[in-house]
Amino acid sequence: MSAPGAILGRPPVSGGGGAGVVSQLVLALICAGYGTGAFLGWGSDQLALIMGDFGLCSAALIAAVSCFLYARGGAGRSESSFRPAWLLFAVSSAMAACGNGVWGWYEVVLRRDVPTPSPADFFFLCFAPPAIVGLLVLAKRPVTRAGWVCLALDSWLIGGSLLTLSWSLALAHTARMEGAGESTAHAALALAYPLLDIVLVSMVLALHFRRSSANRSAVNTAIAALALTVLCDALFTSPLLREHYRSGQLLDAGWFAGSLLLAYAPWGARRFPAAPPQPVAAPRAAGPPGAAPRSPALPVTRPLASSLAALTPYLAAAVCTLGILYNVIEGRRVDRVVVFTGCTVVLALVVRQGIMLLDNIALTHELAQKENHFRSLVQGSSDVIMIAAPTGILRYVSPAAAGVYGRDAEELVGSELASLIHPEDLGRVVHEVRRFLAAPPAEEPTTRIECRFKSGTGEWLNVESTVNRHQGGLILNSRDVTERVRLQAQLEHNAEHDPLTDLPNRALFTKRVRKALGGRRTTDPGTAVLFIDLDGFKQVNDTIGHQAGDELLIQAARRLQESVRAGDTAARLGGDEFAALILGDGTRDRAAREYQVREIADRLRLTLSQPYQIDGNDVRVAASIGVAFAEPGIGAGELLRNADLAMYRAKSGGKNRVELYAPQMQAEVVRKSELAARLRTALNEGEFAVLHQPVVDLTTGEVSAVAAQARWRSAQGILFTPAEFLRVADESERAAELGRWLLEEAVERAAERLRAGHDAPVSVRLSARRLLDKSMPLGSLEALLTRHGLPSGALIIELADSDPRISFDELERRLVGLRRLGVRIALDGFGSGYAAINALRRLPIDVLKLDRGLVEGVVESARLHKITAGLLRIACDLGMQSVADGVDVPEQVLALRAMGCTHGQGMAFSGPLDEYRLRRALVRGEFPVPGGAALPVLSGRTRPLLSSNNETPVPPT
């Protein structure tokens, strides 16, 4: 249920106010000038006759032309139905112009008195009928038969009462005097003028309260012009004034003003809209069920026209009674005309009141039906409808309160509305209600308030209420939205929290970081963001399953949540990445705040690195943490990026450590990005070249093989080391393309050297992941060897690493297939990876290539010397060749040869060579070896690098 709504009508404005004021002022000056001239007699009798006759003729003619032009084209589309009315007013004014013209012809041109009757009388008599019909067109048409009957009765009530009064005062005397004469036409003419004026006045009064709302100001002006004309006619027909009337007198000023006012009505008056009516309270619903029927609420400002329209029948009867009383007081015999007219007026009044009584009975019945319908709607509605008095006391509560609030409606009636509202919501509700009541009803008829209401069980329910005004108080249409609020809160929580760990997600974490930076004081620079990545989490998923991985993430989230301080925020960003927002405590000293945050980060690292109990097993992961501090002017996105960079630096620096962000990290990222962008086009632009480093027999110095290496010299002349661009290639997923290119180039060059008589196998370094890449199937490698005619044993694949994520079964099958093609397999970096022993146990390896880290310290470190000697003894026992990588000084050559190493490559013999220098080295055939003859080895004997290992049994798996 809603309270009475406010309706504010605003009629259109078609013109500016300044032009209208000027036209009104001109009209007033012209009328005042004419009136002044008439009052002073115009200075001469002849001029008075001209102004009294032809002046009135000109004014009436102007009115006729004005109304005619407006009827033809000036009326707007919304007023097109009223064009006939203005056309009839034009005809009426034309009749007045013709009558005044004929009158002037007699008096001014012929210089004699106007005869009675004359053509001027005919034209004057024709003035009233078109005006009467025009008023009927302008009137608001009744929609029912009873309305038409009431309109006719109202017109007769006014006309009959005026006729009774006029007949008693003057018309009876005039009829007797004129009837005593000889001319019947003269007597009829004497009575026709006042009777037509009475009819015209009746229409003006009866229709003034029923006029249409279209261009109301123009219609009002036209009615005023006709009323002024009728008034002057009434004065003219009085016997005292008519006997002394002459053209040009003051009475002509009234006719003159009436004609000009009618000419002005359709054009000037329509420029000014009627003043907007005050807001009217229109009843939109009846009162509460059970209350006594009451009439609709009265308007805020009832128009005077409505009151006068209701009093019209009684005023008419009073005028008629005055006419009869005048005859009685004067002692005259009651005239038959007065008796007949009075009886018809009384009869019309009785009939009209009977019609109104029947109409009121029908309206009362309709109101009762609507109230019953409203009562059934309210009682059956699931919403609670409450009416509160201006004091806040509830005057009515619908029965739905029992189902919604758990409290009977009778219990709530008489209580204060504020007592039902939650104290935390009361201030907001009061503020909204005051603002709503202060707003104009037309601009804001309703408002919506959501707050918590107290139920019968003491529980607070979320209630949404539509509030309307009602007699200074409020009507509240309320519904329980508790479930909707809970669902909305749950949806908001789900949207901002991780579904697995229930920690804030990236969106909420970013929002809180932004809030912390926005509210951070300049004296509080200690705010920091920690990015946390769990090292080894992927192995957990791969080894014991994703369900165990989810359980590990849940436990890690719980540890992180319990380890951060109160007020700080822990979040899961996705996968195994977590984050923490550490709020500053106002520490100004940079070293102190770094120490404090690092201490928090180390505590988190140790906590997250503790064993996790999953399905009865201890599962271990480590944590790499990057820390970035908030600085003045830094944004949330930039701060998160800095922490992410620091975390990746911690992972690349050995994992399970804490790294603080430094500005050079960003520079490194930019450099890598630029390098990756250049790398995309480097292969196509021919910026890569292949160099070969000789592999030398440590006993004889002969070149046993060459190791292919890629070098990148950019178009700008910058030479990048393999460590730089290979790492970037792996990160940018260009390593596969680079590996294929290097393999094809190395095989092609080896085939060219073979045809030139240089029988030196070529070794190409490839990672295990690239060997298993589906983009380089076994058939493509076989086709490459066949296309270039490379014999068996001429290609050596160096297995670059032993990634624990790689399946050994797949890798073993792949390497066995390569062995069948005649490709030799070398295990690169032997001695540095924890999976090297497993690789020796399962994979078909021909050559062991010692890691550079072992070779560099083999002379200085006795410990490394023993380790290297042990590894070489393993290779010898398994019947494998051994190659030492990074042999740079003669002392390393002597030591390695003494330990049984068969081959070596490094700066002690030669660096990487281009094709021209390589062929010169192959022509020479050998490099000088320190120490001359061969030294005894630990066990076994040396074998050439090209010898087959087919006879060597593969160790059992």
Side-chain angles (χ1 to χ4, degrees), residues 54 138 150 164 168 181 350 356 401 770 797 837 873 902 922:
F54 293 112
L138 287 179
C150 288
T164 302
S168 300
V350 172
M356 295 303 297
R770 298 305 172 199
I797 297 296
I837 300 301
R873 186 178 294 110
T902 59
L922 292 177

Side-chain angles (χ1 to χ4, degrees), residues 553-609:
L553 290 176
I554 294 173
Q555 294 185 24
R558 188 180 304 116
R559 293 183 185 182
L560 183 62
Q561 183 70 40
E562 293 172 354
S563 299
V564 296
R565 305 172 306 175
D568 296 341
T569 299
R572 183 191 177 204
L573 304 183
D576 60 340
E577 288 188 355
F578 294 85
L581 172 63
I582 308 300
L583 299 179
D585 57 359
T587 303
R588 289 178 173 270
D589 185 21
R590 183 183 183 89
R593 72 173 184 178
E594 289 184 0
Y595 174 80
Q596 183 183 22
V597 174
R598 181 182 283 275
E599 186 180 31
I600 296 174
D602 280 328
R603 185 175 68 251
L604 292 178
R605 180 183 62 82
L606 293 174
T607 301
L608 295 174
S609 301

Side-chain angles (χ1 to χ4, degrees), residues 239-257:
L240 296 178
L241 186 60
R242 188 172 184 178
E243 292 177 359
H244 303 88
Y245 171 78
R246 289 192 62 189
S247 296
Q249 290 183 350
L250 191 58
L251 185 61
D252 291 346
W255 283 314
F256 183 84

Side-chain angles (χ1 to χ4, degrees), residues 3 35 76 87 94 97 137 140 242 274 313 352 374 376 396 458 549 557 602 834 900 930:
L87 190 60
V137 174
K140 185 185 297 182
R242 188 172 184 178
R352 188 185 188 282
F374 167 75
S376 63
Y396 171 77
D602 280 328
Y834 63 89

Side-chain angles (χ1 to χ4, degrees), residues 47-109:
L47 182 59
L49 292 176
I50 294 174
M51 294 302 297
D53 295 335
F54 293 112
L56 294 180
C57 177
S58 300
L61 186 61
I62 292 173
V65 173
S66 174
C67 293
F68 178 78
L69 293 177
Y70 182 75
R72 288 295 302 271
R77 180 177 300 178
S78 61
E79 305 171 21
S80 59
S81 59
F82 301 107
R83 290 178 179 176
W86 294 103
L87 190 60
L88 290 169
F89 290 153
V91 173
S92 179
S93 298
M95 293 297 102
C98 292
N100 284 294
V102 171
W103 199 284
W105 175 263
Y106 280 106
E107 288 190 336
V108 177
V109 179

